[in-house]
Amino acid sequence: MNTLCRAILAPAVAIGAIANSANAAPPTKAFDDAELIAVRDGFTARADATLSRLAGVPLTAAPKQPALAFGRPAYVRGYGYSLASHALKSLVLGEEAASANAALRQYADYFISHAAERRDKDNFYWSSDIAYRCVEFYGSHGSRTPRLITRETEDLLLELAWVFSKETSALKDAEANESHTWYVHESENHHLQRFSTLWHFSKLLKSDPRYSNQLYEDGGRPSEHYEAWTQYAIEYLRERARKGLFIEISSPGYALQSLKGIHAFYDFSEDERLRRAAGMFLDLYWADWAQEQIDGVRGGGKTRCYQGQGSQIGADTVMQMAWHHFGLGTPKLPGLDWNLRIGNMICILTSDYRVPLVVIDIALDSSGRGSYEIVQRRMGLAEDGYDEPPDYRLRQDFGGILKYSYCTPDFVVGALMCEARPLEDWTMISSQNRWHGVVFRGERDARVYLQCRDKSPEKTYNQHWAVQSKGALIAQRLGGPGQGRSPDALRVWFSATGLHDRVEREGWVFSQAPGAYVAVRVIDGKTHWRPSTDGAPGDWLCCEDSLTPVILEVATKESYQGYAAFQNAVMGSDPVHSNGLLRYDALSGDQFMFYTDYSLPPMVNDEPIDLAPARVFDSPFLQSRWNSGVVTISKGQRRLVLDFENILVRDSIL
């Protein structure tokens, strides 16, 4: 590859402000078209290499598990995955079709005859995309090798599609005039998995004369449901472009489950507008990911980022997808238990979608991207009374979250900023397991982040709030009436991987990564260290004062004349905390006022944080005005304008 040049650091802007001078793209061109095309087209070889590891692996049906809760049926998600994945990998690899057909018939027979398991939210539609890719590629009208699936097998799968659809699909659920698709059932990924499955089934059923004139339980025919779900899906994708992508922000565990349905729209839609909208959405998703990652590890604030390894490691399913698209990061290849581990990844590996060159350029050029801010509006606030499952309703006027990240070639630090609101103001899919912290170049698990441990081993809700500008971040547990759901005091994770030379001086804890220094200050009360016992190697700095604020400072090594100079600079600013107000002068020169009594939103340089800026996406590489549906992705001379209102790509220089 060409030598990458580092951009000059642009001047800073106030949080939430619109200032093109600060977010001007660095004038770099690290890769020529041929290099980027090679990366894009290399997806096929990387996907084939992953799938080839499964060659010759026989079917081992996963065991059926006990119910997840009293009154629910058996938990058979893994069982469904094992059958469907075996079938699709066998057909893709050209292995014995009889084994694939047998697995698909077993899959269909089970879910046809077990209605409770079929209807349960944690079972069937998780693996349905895999099974019905087999029909699309290898059925009687297959787009790859028709009739590898026998008529008997296809008939059983269509029968299953029919029994699930007629009892589950309802035209009223495809309403978008009032909801604008922000009425969400169960959770965001559940909602998308469910309606994309119903869309896909209606597409297949409307074309089969045995089902085309049958009536669903709501009186509609498959063609009517297909049209309704198609229009709903288009509006769903538009609204996420208008208002800030997913509610489950940068979730390391649920992104794959959501994206697989969008890949189904792209790969199988007969409606060209839906196909284009799905491709544009995937372009937007990966552009957002590309600007906020280092070596395939995503930084920035997150939601639904579970405690333990879910928060501590970089090798999640998003990294797996990214490795196949960009060759970045570390692939988590399937092993002996591949039936469960590959899961929905096989939908991505067999998709026709490819990332645009401008997005690949952004992803690969971590040095040339320079140092910059990402400011985004995100959805999360609930309509009154609709904050819990199974039926969420999102406020559509004001999402309530400002996603802020500061990115350099050596680290990405980010937070989700919001008001100190009570728990019931937020949808639980937004308030669950929020993550603020920093990831470092060099090791995929190198990070420092802030978290409250809950009585539950995995989940917290509305646990803390934060403010950030550039490399400085302040966070505090939300402990007011009705705020966090019983979390313990704040704690700070220091990974063993990628960090070294930890030093404690005058209340500050310092450490360093290959290209950066980090400092943490617990303002009130004593602290103690606790080694990790439930995840990746590392140590917790635990706060004994349950409401103390904590300061995090991160800086590149090139900004200081050594580790001691960084420490001295940090200790030169003494935080002052009194009468419910923390004042702190950051290394960047920004002045923070953080109201630890929750009385006012935080302030930076005497201005309250702006939670509703004019732009929904604002960075050097990704720009869009709130609710406009027109998104510009750019780097250097490459530009891609995604017009979700008219569903077209324009002014593109790929």
Side-chain angles (χ1 to χ4, degrees):
M1 296 294 182
N2 293 341
T3 301
L4 307 185
C5 60
R6 181 163 295 174
I8 297 173
L9 176 61
V13 294
I15 297 173
I18 304 300
N20 289 329
S21 61
N23 275 336
T28 66
K29 183 180 185 298
F31 303 96
D32 60 33
D33 287 355
E35 291 170 320
L36 297 176
I37 289 168
V39 173
R40 181 193 67 193
D41 295 349
F43 176 94
T44 301
R46 290 187 289 273
D48 288 348
T50 297
L51 291 169
S52 69
R53 291 173 59 89
L54 310 177
V57 179
L59 171 65
T60 302
K64 305 177 186 73
Q65 302 290 336
L68 294 174
F70 178 77
R72 293 179 65 179
Y75 177 53
V76 293
R77 184 191 300 175
Y79 175 73
Y81 273 140
S82 65
L83 296 171
S85 297
H86 173 80
L88 184 52
K89 77 91 181 175
S90 298
L91 294 167
V92 169
L93 294 175
E95 297 180 332
E96 178 56 56
S99 178
N101 277 272
L104 289 170
R105 288 195 299 273
Q106 185 177 344
Y107 180 90
D109 278 335
Y110 180 83
F111 283 113
I112 289 170
S113 60
H114 291 77
E117 285 82 354
R118 179 178 71 241
R119 295 167 185 156
D120 188 85
K121 66 180 181 178
D122 283 307
N123 283 329
F124 171 55
Y125 54 61
W126 290 74
S127 59
S128 61
D129 278 302
I130 305 170
Y132 288 84
R133 277 183 174 262
C134 296
V135 176
E136 293 281 5
F137 292 153
Y138 305 108
S140 56
H141 302 287
S143 60
R144 296 192 176 180
T145 308
R147 293 178 293 281
L148 282 182
I149 292 179
T150 67
R151 188 74 244 186
E152 176 191 3
T153 301
E154 187 171 346
D155 286 349
L156 274 173
L157 287 168
L158 286 174
E159 181 182 353
L160 173 57
W162 170 246
V163 297
F164 181 74
S165 296
K166 74 174 182 179
E167 66 191 6
T168 306
S169 188
L171 292 172
K172 65 179 179 59
D173 291 339
E175 177 278 324
N177 290 328
E178 177 184 345
S179 71
H180 296 287
T181 73
W182 294 107
Y183 296 176
V184 176
H185 187 69
E186 291 295 352
S187 78
E188 185 170 49
N189 72 85
H190 275 276
H191 182 78
L192 183 45
Q193 289 185 87
R194 180 175 175 270
F195 87 73
S196 63
T197 295
L198 294 172
W199 167 85
H200 200 170
F201 287 178
S202 65
K203 171 188 177 281
L204 296 171
L205 294 168
K206 74 178 180 60
S207 301
D208 190 295
R210 292 167 297 180
Y211 298 105
S212 59
N213 287 314
Q214 296 289 329
L215 299 181
Y216 288 52
E217 289 184 0
D218 73 346
R221 289 180 170 82
S223 59
E224 296 173 279
H225 281 252
Y226 174 72
E227 178 61 25
W229 285 122
T230 295
Q231 296 308 313
Y232 182 89
I234 291 171
E235 186 64 12
Y236 182 96
L237 298 170
R238 273 196 184 122
E239 278 291 297
R240 271 88 199 141
R242 290 166 176 156
K243 296 187 174 72
L245 291 169
F246 290 134
I247 309 158
E248 296 171 344
I249 299 170
S250 307
S251 173
Y254 292 120
L256 173 59
Q257 324 314 334
S258 296
L259 291 177
K260 71 182 176 76
I262 297 172
H263 277 269
F265 299 146
Y266 182 84
D267 289 329
F268 307 128
S269 179
E270 298 170 345
D271 187 299
E272 182 58 29
R273 296 172 76 245
L274 176 54
R275 176 181 166 82
R276 285 201 306 268
M280 291 160 56
F281 181 90
L282 293 170
D283 294 346
L284 172 56
Y285 177 88
W286 285 113
D288 184 47
W289 174 89
Q291 67 177 349
E292 201 177 36
Q293 55 76 39
I294 297 177
D295 298 331
V297 178
R298 183 163 197 166
K302 304 171 180 66
T303 63
R304 305 207 75 188
C305 188
Y306 286 98
Q307 298 195 20
Q309 289 195 0
S311 295
Q312 294 167 353
I313 65 172
D316 52 34
T317 57
V318 181
M319 176 183 274
Q320 293 178 59
M321 288 188 284
W323 183 82
H324 290 94
H325 282 305
F326 305 99
L328 279 171
T330 305
K332 186 178 180 182
L333 299 174
L336 295 178
D337 60 343
W338 72 271
N339 287 307
L340 302 180
R341 289 175 58 189
I342 196 167
N344 289 309
M345 190 63 63
I346 202 168
C347 297
I348 311 303
L349 301 183
T350 56
S351 175
D352 291 334
Y353 172 76
R354 299 293 182 269
V355 179
L357 299 190
V358 62
V359 176
I360 299 173
D361 192 0
I362 295 168
L364 298 186
D365 191 12
S366 60
S367 180
R369 291 198 308 260
S371 299
Y372 53 93
E373 297 167 287
I374 299 172
V375 182
Q376 299 179 351
R377 293 175 64 171
R378 293 302 185 105
M379 300 288 279
L381 288 172
E383 290 187 8
D384 289 347
Y386 290 97
D387 57 303
E388 296 185 344
D391 293 308
Y392 295 106
R393 292 190 180 185
L394 278 293
R395 277 184 57 177
Q396 298 174 39
D397 58 334
F398 177 50
I401 294 174
L402 190 75
K403 187 178 192 295
Y404 178 91
S405 297
Y406 183 63
C407 307
T408 78
D410 296 298
F411 64 84
V412 176
V413 57
L416 304 176
M417 295 190 278
C418 61
E419 298 167 304
R421 288 173 170 267
L423 176 64
E424 63 268 18
D425 281 8
W426 301 103
T427 55
M428 292 178 72
I429 50 176
S430 168
S431 70
Q432 187 194 87
N433 294 344
R434 290 179 181 158
W435 190 99
H436 314 301
V438 57
V439 301
F440 298 98
R441 171 179 60 82
E443 295 283 352
R444 71 185 186 189
D445 298 339
R447 60 193 58 205
V448 173
Y449 66 90
L450 305 103
Q451 184 182 72
C452 297
R453 183 173 178 83
D454 194 61
K455 304 301 185 285
S456 161
E458 290 189 330
K459 300 176 183 178
T460 64
Y461 295 89
N462 208 31
Q463 60 174 305
H464 47 23
W465 67 325
V467 63
Q468 182 189 344
S469 181
K470 295 179 278 300
L473 185 157
I474 303 174
Q476 181 196 21
R477 176 188 166 222
L478 285 167
Q483 288 182 337
R485 177 173 285 187
S486 65
D488 289 341
L490 203 62
R491 56 186 186 163
V492 186
W493 171 257
F494 286 77
S495 65
T497 302
L499 296 179
H500 59 95
D501 294 336
R502 196 165 69 207
V503 174
E504 297 186 47
R505 292 181 61 188
E506 300 180 22
W508 287 91
V509 178
F510 299 94
S511 190
Q512 58 177 314
Y517 301 121
V518 60
V520 170
R521 173 71 178 269
V522 175
I523 299 300
D524 298 322
K526 295 180 180 180
T527 62
H528 64 272
W529 290 97
R530 185 176 68 81
S532 172
T533 58
D534 58 354
D539 296 306
W540 289 105
L541 177 65
C542 301
C543 304
E544 297 183 8
D545 184 316
S546 66
L547 296 179
T548 179
V550 176
I551 298 171
L552 173 71
E553 275 273 17
V554 199
T556 59
K557 284 187 172 179
E558 67 178 15
S559 303
Y560 293 90
Q561 297 296 317
Y563 194 20
F566 170 74
Q567 295 175 34
N568 291 335
V570 169
M571 292 187 299
S573 177
D574 189 26
V576 177
H577 186 209
S578 64
N579 299 319
L581 175 62
L582 171 64
R583 295 178 181 270
Y584 176 65
D585 293 338
L587 293 179
S588 61
D590 291 315
Q591 296 178 322
F592 287 82
M593 292 180 15
F594 190 81
Y595 293 87
T596 57
D597 60 2
Y598 316 121
S599 59
L600 289 171
M603 300 180 73
V604 179
N605 300 326
D606 297 322
E607 295 289 336
I609 58 173
D610 182 5
L611 298 175
R615 288 182 182 161
V616 62
F617 302 113
D618 189 12
S619 79
F621 310 104
L622 192 58
Q623 297 273 328
S624 180
R625 294 188 69 81
W626 166 263
N627 212 30
S628 72
V630 179
V631 182
T632 299
I633 304 168
S634 62
K635 181 176 183 292
Q637 295 302 307
R638 295 187 177 95
R639 186 170 74 150
L640 192 66
V641 178
L642 308 176
D643 183 348
F644 284 85
E645 299 308 295
N646 298 297
I647 312 183
L648 55 86
V649 178
R650 55 188 174 85
D651 298 336
S652 80
I653 303 173
L654 295 178

